[in-house]
Amino acid sequence: MEDELIRLNGKFTYILYRNEENYYTVAKFRINDQNEKTITVTGTMTSVQTDILYNVFGKYVEHPRYGMQFALQSYEKPLPSEREGIIRYLSGIQFPGVGKKTAEKIVEALGEDTLTMIRQDPLCLRTIPDLSEKVIESITEGIRVEEDGMEELIRFLNIHGIGMRNLVRLNKAYGKKALEKISENPYRVIEDCDGFGFATADKIAMSLGFSEADERRLHAFLVSLVSDMTMSSGDSYLLHDELKAEYEKQTKGIDSDFDAILEMAVGRGLLYSEEDRIYPKAQYEAETYIASYLQNFPYQKMPECEESVLESYLKALQKDVGIEYDESQAHAIRSFFQNDIQIITGGPGTGKTTVVRALVRLFHLMYPEYTIVCAAPTGRAAKRLAELTDTNAATIHSLLQWDLESNTFGKNEEEPIVCDLLIVDEFSMVDNWLLYNLLKAGHNIRRICLIGDEDQLPSVGPGSVLRDLTDSNTIPVCRLQYIYRQKNGSDVIALAHAVREGHVDPSLYSGEVRFIECSRNAIRNGILDIVRLYLENGYKIDDIQVLSPMYNGNAGINVLNNALQECFNPPSEDKAEYRHGYMVFREGDKILQLKNQPDDDVYNGDIGILEEIVDAKHSEDRTTTLYVNFQDNIVEYKQEGLDRITLAYAISVHKSQGSEYPVVIMPFSWQHAYMLQKKLIYTAVTRARRALILLGERSAFEKGIATAERYVRKTTLCSRISGSIPGEL
């Protein structure tokens, strides 16, 4: 609490270090006492001026390298307290219309605590006889402008245990009125500031004395509940009765009218209601916009393609590359030039890469003056797309110039993408919200080609976009089905297609594919033995990827990561390490990126190597820093960014989408029975480029491939596109 903090009065004399992104500051501070002692102050300061009097609140701490420092928690600029100083202050230029005589009159009436009294209650000025309204307004406004509110906001955030990284967001949203607005209604931050959830807002509200039955609280809770439930299920809407049941379960004991709260949320446009369906705002707007866009696409037509010219180019291309396209591939190529939008889908080994490469080369020949933009959901998928098309490719987030802090896109209807042909690979990973934002920036696009595997897992975010587009029967879909034998990975491809059909013959466990039966208790050591064997045969640790369906259990991601780290990157005097929560990061570790960081060109699902840990005592800003190498892209992580990374020796199947690995190892246990289903296993198998090792309980594997989707996502995008539900906003 603040009464336990030390208060010092003095001036900052020199700024040693300052980060303008998060306001972290290290500065020399001269204490205003008889000895004029100078100390080092560290902490968050939104603004700092030298040779200006400050009160700083905090505690002394012993730094292992830099000695005694003062860790600042809050600060303020003290107002003048002596009579003459107050008079000079009030008659200054910041208070127009207030002269020296008026200032003397005010101080005479209110005393030496004049400015504190005005700051706490400006109405005290009305007790002074013959003071004009103009003067009262001038002083009140001048005090308000002089006090930027940030010092009090910092203190407020500390008191309520709210992370200081939220300070920048609050400042951007509310400016000087941040504290006033939060105190008035803490739940408003959920709508106004990205990164604030109901739990954080509720924590503030409860400590401020808000009632559990406060209408604003229940309204915010309902909106948050709809968002959380759709994110968890992948649905784009909830049924009215299931939402009502969950709401009443979670608010049991609180006097609340569900339908009245729902009506309020719908009236404010934060939820949408259609028949018995309740949508979060983001999902409703995404579905309706996507449908409207596709119904009106293209907004600018491509010139018609001359079939005879295309056929001559196609023959020449086949001769040049030494390939004769099969019937389905040739159909996909011709269809692309006949339609404004097209979907190409197919499993591994069916020639998607061959077709896409042909499309790009033929497009350049047919339309040499037109531009192509290629995109994919992940960094690895984008890099692979660029290599096979010999065209620049980017992640969708990067293409749209996504801003992490504000969760907004620089490319939109006002600032559209400039291209004629858009190719999107790994389209099964794209969710409603991402496609919505991509199309919002796509009014200059004349042709779209979407490439994906409809048998893979759907996107992590809500929606089943690839399924909905193919099922709408309004977009041409070309399915590549003929399997081409390949030099490497052909055994994996054969197994993948058998998994897709729901039946695996034991004869397929040969060559590059193995199934090693063992008990669930033997899986951990079995994986260690397999990894060790591949390392002894010349593979590197980043060539080998363990995929597990769940985080918990004997064969879960958490247990396997700890075991693999301990075995293949054990503690060493030569390797620095850093503990973050239950996890230890060690130099040499394999690291998984969990969230998109477009400014650093690293994205969700990217894997790198932790090359260096710089301890706080050797760091410029006195905080530990981790440096991770993502394919020659070095990204640094401070304490506040460590929640964006984790160990990557074992990762989830969802996190592996969009990537391929030379060797994939996947455990199977009845502990994971709920997660085991055909699409998940198929997705995992198709991540292997060369070799695939399955181990564990074979009956769990066989049950999984015989299990279709346990839960089919509820969406209305298909109906909107086909017109059976209105697609316009």
Side-chain angles (χ1 to χ4, degrees), residues 483-521:
I483 304 172
Y484 289 87
R485 304 295 290 180
Q486 298 180 7
K487 185 176 180 180
N488 290 317
S490 58
D491 295 330
V492 174
I493 291 169
L495 180 69
H497 286 273
V499 168
R500 189 184 66 181
E501 298 303 317
H503 178 72
V504 174
D505 189 282
S507 65
L508 292 172
Y509 304 135
S510 62
E512 299 150 326
V513 175
R514 290 281 186 272
F515 198 112
I516 302 171
E517 285 195 76
C518 63
S519 70
R520 69 185 64 171
N521 293 327

Side-chain angles (χ1 to χ4, degrees), residues 515-727:
F515 198 112
I516 302 171
E517 285 195 76
C518 63
S519 70
R520 69 185 64 171
N521 293 327
I523 288 176
R524 174 186 173 277
N525 288 338
I527 289 177
L528 295 179
D529 289 341
I530 294 165
V531 172
R532 191 177 291 110
L533 182 63
Y534 273 100
L535 291 175
E536 289 171 357
N537 279 276
Y539 286 84
K540 294 180 290 187
I541 194 69
D542 51 341
D543 293 329
I544 307 162
Q545 189 56 60
V546 178
L547 303 180
S548 181
M550 295 181 72
Y551 281 86
N552 298 321
N554 293 4
I557 293 166
N558 294 332
V559 166
L560 295 176
N561 261 324
N562 289 337
L564 288 161
Q565 181 193 45
E566 189 69 22
C567 188
F568 300 108
N569 192 31
S572 165
E573 290 183 2
D574 299 329
K575 293 181 178 181
E577 60 182 52
Y578 182 74
R579 178 173 290 278
H580 178 65
Y582 68 87
M583 191 178 304
V584 173
F585 291 112
R586 186 173 296 126
E587 289 177 346
D589 274 339
K590 199 172 172 183
I591 299 295
L592 173 71
Q593 179 73 20
L594 297 174
K595 295 182 179 179
N596 292 325
Q597 284 180 225
D599 289 347
D600 295 314
D601 195 27
V602 60
Y603 298 89
N604 185 1
D606 285 354
I607 291 178
I609 299 296
L610 176 51
E611 292 201 340
E612 185 180 11
I613 299 175
V614 177
D615 189 82
K617 60 187 178 183
H618 300 128
S619 176
E620 187 179 67
D621 60 358
R622 320 295 193 263
T623 59
T624 299
T625 306
L626 278 62
Y627 294 91
V628 181
N629 186 344
F630 294 93
Q631 295 182 321
D632 297 325
N633 174 30
I634 307 295
V635 180
E636 68 173 50
Y637 297 86
K638 303 289 186 183
Q639 173 68 34
E640 63 271 16
L642 294 182
D643 289 336
R644 296 177 185 169
I645 58 174
T646 188
L647 295 177
Y649 299 101
I651 66 174
S652 70
V653 179
H654 279 93
K655 288 293 183 186
S656 73
Q657 278 186 276
S659 298
E660 289 183 342
Y661 315 96
V663 179
V664 166
I665 303 168
M666 186 175 183
F668 287 90
S669 164
W670 279 104
Q671 286 183 322
H672 301 156
Y674 178 76
M675 288 294 293
L676 292 176
Q677 54 185 297
K678 185 194 298 183
K679 281 200 171 186
L680 181 133
I681 297 173
Y682 174 82
T683 302
V685 168
T686 55
R687 300 308 92 205
R689 191 162 64 240
R690 187 174 302 161
L692 174 69
I693 308 297
L694 312 174
L695 78 163
E697 298 169 296
R698 185 178 295 192
S699 57
F701 169 75
E702 291 172 347
K703 177 66 174 175
I705 63 173
T707 303
E709 288 182 271
R710 294 184 184 277
Y711 182 84
V712 179
R713 294 183 175 188
K714 300 194 297 286
T715 72
T716 44
L717 178 59
C718 179
S719 300
R720 294 186 196 281
I721 295 170
S722 60
S724 56
I725 294 178

Side-chain angles (χ1 to χ4, degrees), residues 301-306 313 337 360-373 418-421 444 446:
K301 289 282 285 184
M302 289 285 295
E304 290 212 7
C305 170
E306 290 188 34
Y313 281 141
F337 286 97
V360 171
R361 291 187 62 175
L362 290 170
F363 186 86
H364 282 308
L365 291 169
M366 296 295 296
Y367 303 105
E369 72 276 26
Y370 288 87
T371 57
I372 302 174
V373 166
V418 179
C419 79
D420 300 294
L421 167 61
N444 286 341
R446 299 168 185 262

Side-chain angles (χ1 to χ4, degrees), residues 24 136 152-153 171 255 257 269 287 332 382 571 578 641 689:
Y24 180 81
I136 293 173
E152 288 185 72
L153 179 60
N171 190 31
D255 185 18
D257 184 339
E287 280 201 354
Y578 182 74
R689 191 162 64 240

